[in-house]
Amino acid sequence: MRRFVPPAAFVLAHLPAVALAGEPKAWEIGFQTPASPTMAGIASLANTVNIVIVGIVVLVSGLLAFCLWRFRASRHPTPATWSHNTKLEIAWTVIPTIILLLIAFPSFRLLYFMDRVEQADLTLKVTGHQWYWSYQYPDHGVGFDAMMVQQEDLQPEQRRLLATDHPVVLPVGVSVRIQLTADDVIHSWAVPALGIKTDSVPGRLNETWVRIDQPGVYLGQCSELCGLNHGFMPIEIKAVPLDEFRQWAEEARSRFPLTNG
């Protein structure tokens, strides 16, 4: 008996194989390897903030240890009677304020950068359902649903609970506008390696963007507790060179015609 091959699987089978580039790894510490400018900015800001945090911990711990040693009871049996030091109080108010401002400015700049793109080369519309995703390419007249691949149907290169029957295909090096909504409850479209985590809300159109730096397969999941099968809404993105994406879009247009939106 011949095995039925879904149309999307047929189309994707004609694309060159690409390696898994963004996936969780056992005993992994820290972020996945950044694959977009947004994720690179998030990783850089996180490293900077961690350095500041470590510096504050070391400084405060050192001051505390010094005070315990310098003002111990055996050395100062008679405590001092003063209770205020205006210069010290100004210093411990102003210095933390300056530190917070130094962290705030790059944070706001990154938030503005990752919010939306002014000139997008491609639009991808994402709709969350209980419990799967629908994708539309309005610029190319393509639309399809993406369901999780069941464990008994997994191929050797696919990851359990993360593979989908119809991966999202996106071109490398192109600014992609991503519009998100939902038709039932709140979902959240999250792909860690690309620095994307945006809620899809019924009756509302949220927007973000991505520019993928290198070919590969990037995996994610719904990150909003959306119901019983919340853990079975994976996201699989296959990033390919622009010429290969155009070839895929041309073939997909006849197999997955966009019937609405």
Side-chain angles (χ1 to χ4, degrees):
M1 178 186 235
R2 295 182 59 187
R3 182 183 176 188
F4 172 72
V5 180
F10 176 83
V11 173
L12 291 170
H14 289 75
L15 290 174
V18 289
L20 281 165
E23 62 170 332
K25 297 180 176 60
W27 300 100
E28 185 175 33
I29 298 177
F31 297 117
Q32 295 181 17
T33 302
S36 71
T38 296
M39 190 60 211
I42 292 173
S44 176
L45 179 62
N47 291 335
T48 300
V49 172
N50 283 334
I51 292 173
V52 172
I53 291 172
V54 170
I56 292 172
V57 170
V58 171
L59 176 62
V60 173
S61 299
L63 290 174
L64 181 60
F66 173 77
C67 291
L68 292 173
W69 170 80
R70 178 68 175 79
F71 302 104
R72 63 190 186 276
S74 60
R75 185 165 182 173
H76 290 274
T78 304
T81 57
W82 55 270
S83 60
H84 293 281
N85 186 313
T86 302
K87 294 181 179 179
L88 183 60
E89 291 172 358
I90 292 175
W92 71 38
T93 301
V94 172
I95 293 175
T97 301
I98 294 174
I99 293 174
L100 290 175
L101 289 175
L102 292 176
I103 294 174
F105 283 117
S107 299
F108 293 148
R109 185 168 60 247
L110 178 60
L111 286 171
Y112 181 79
F113 173 77
M114 64 192 295
D115 179 48
R116 64 186 63 218
V117 60
E118 297 297 333
Q119 299 294 330
D121 303 301
L122 170 69
T123 297
L124 174 69
K125 184 175 180 180
V126 181
T127 304
H129 309 272
Q130 289 182 314
W131 287 270
Y132 64 96
W133 300 100
S134 293
Y135 299 101
Q136 296 179 357
Y137 297 73
D139 304 322
H140 297 83
V142 176
F144 55 84
D145 299 329
M147 309 286 186
M148 185 186 75
V149 176
Q150 299 300 313
Q151 185 169 349
E152 59 270 18
D153 299 323
L154 286 173
Q155 301 300 313
E157 72 279 3
Q158 292 180 317
R159 298 294 183 261
R160 176 178 172 270
L161 301 181
L162 292 173
T164 63
D165 55 356
H166 299 164
V168 177
V169 180
L170 293 177
V172 172
V174 169
S175 296
V176 180
R177 177 187 291 111
I178 303 175
Q179 297 177 335
L180 304 105
T181 188
D183 72 346
D184 38 45
V185 298
I186 298 176
H187 302 275
S188 183
W189 203 72
V191 185
L194 303 181
I196 300 175
K197 185 181 182 296
T198 303
D199 285 350
S200 57
V201 182
R204 177 172 177 174
L205 193 67
N206 284 338
E207 184 175 309
T208 185
W209 74 285
V210 68
R211 186 172 70 243
I212 305 175
D213 293 332
Q214 55 187 357
V217 175
Y218 301 94
L219 304 176
Q221 291 176 302
C222 176
S223 294
E224 186 72 47
L225 188 58
C226 60
L228 177 64
N229 292 323
H230 158 70
F232 306 99
M233 285 186 66
I235 301 161
E236 183 177 2
I237 296 177
K238 180 174 286 189
V240 299
L242 182 58
D243 290 342
E244 294 173 13
F245 171 78
R246 288 171 176 165
Q247 179 185 358
W248 171 85
E250 186 66 29
E251 296 177 2
R253 185 179 296 113
S254 61
R255 297 183 178 276
F256 318 114
L258 184 60
T259 58
N260 55 67

